[in-house]
């Protein structure tokens, strides 16, 4: 009977994913001998990373990735707010942050106000570029076109706001 227990313990130990010193200590405990001290103990950081990488559900990994993307995207959008035509982040300001702001304005008067702010921004951008001596004809035409488009939108939106009252 005792021999069968030992054989079963040995078989069980072989199937476990333990290191050799861990298996010997466990076998010594089963047989009744004094266990040998274990020489290796995993560090706290390796246990933490192993737990995070192996035991985390996909939803928490997705949430972490989404937070990282949102923080990075928000930082880029914030940095793009003070750019001028010709800067690398200016297209983000024109094609991402300003349209997003327009989408979040619900009333016609709020949208008209945002269009007026765009006109003011374009005028200030032109003035800043002119002060630096960087206002080229191409950039000036782009700014003028954006001002004209915003002015037309302001007229339409004001008409909608007045018509709805």
């Amino acid at each position: 009977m005792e021999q069968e227990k030992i054989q079963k313990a040995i078989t069980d130990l072989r199937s476990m994913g333990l290191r050799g010193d861990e298996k010997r200590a466990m076998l010594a405990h089963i047989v009744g001998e004094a266990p040998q001290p274990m020489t290796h103990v995993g560090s706290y950081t390796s246990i933490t990373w192993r737990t995070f990488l192996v035991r985390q559900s996909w939803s928490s990994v997705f949430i972490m990735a989404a937070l990282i993307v949102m923080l990075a995207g928000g930082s880029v959008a914030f940095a793009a707010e003070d750019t001028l035509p010709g800067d690398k982040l200016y297209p983000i300001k024109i094609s991402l942050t300003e349209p997003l702001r327009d989408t979040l304005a619900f009333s016609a008067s709020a949208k008209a106000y945002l269009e007026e702010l765009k006109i003011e921004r374009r005028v200030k951008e032109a003035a800043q570029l002119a002060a630096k001596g960087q206002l080229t004809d191409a950039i000036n035409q782009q700014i003028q076109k954006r001002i004209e488009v915003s002015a037309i939108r302001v007229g339409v939106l004001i008409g909608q706001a007045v018509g709805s009252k």
Side-chain angles (χ1 to χ4, degrees):
M1 179 74 173
E2 191 68 28
Q3 186 66 19
E4 289 175 15
K5 282 184 177 180
I6 293 173
Q7 283 302 110
K8 183 174 181 336
I10 291 171
T11 305
D12 288 345
L13 287 174
R14 285 187 179 141
S15 66
M16 288 184 185
L18 300 175
R19 292 186 320 270
D21 57 337
E22 293 172 326
K23 289 179 183 179
R24 283 189 295 279
M26 198 176 260
L27 180 61
H29 180 71
I30 292 169
V31 174
E33 299 174 3
Q36 300 295 322
M38 293 176 54
T39 57
H40 173 75
V41 176
S43 69
Y44 175 74
T45 55
S46 66
I47 292 170
T48 304
W49 280 108
R50 186 179 318 123
T51 303
F52 178 76
L53 294 175
V54 174
R55 295 188 180 158
Q56 291 297 316
S57 65
W58 283 105
S59 62
S60 61
V61 172
F62 175 75
I63 290 170
M64 290 297 292
L67 284 173
I68 290 169
V69 168
M70 286 173 39
L71 287 173
S75 299
V76 170
F78 183 75
E81 282 299 307
D82 293 328
T83 59
L84 297 172
D87 292 343
K88 291 181 181 182
L89 294 179
Y90 189 74
I92 293 173
K93 175 182 176 179
I94 295 298
S95 61
L96 184 69
T97 60
E98 287 181 352
L100 179 63
R101 198 174 291 129
D102 293 342
T103 303
L104 296 175
F106 296 110
S107 68
S109 60
K111 290 181 181 186
Y113 175 74
L114 289 176
E115 290 298 329
E116 290 174 6
L117 286 179
K118 285 184 198 177
I119 293 171
E120 290 177 16
R121 287 177 114 181
R122 300 298 92 86
V123 170
K124 286 180 185 176
E125 290 168 359
Q128 288 175 343
L129 287 173
K132 292 181 180 180
Q134 298 175 345
L135 185 62
T136 64
D137 288 337
I139 292 175
N140 190 25
Q141 288 176 357
Q142 288 176 352
I143 290 174
Q144 285 179 357
K145 183 174 180 169
R146 287 191 177 106
I147 289 173
E148 290 171 9
V149 168
S150 290
I152 292 169
R153 286 183 187 158
V154 167
V156 169
L157 291 167
I158 289 175
Q160 289 176 358
V162 170
S164 67
K165 288 183 180 180

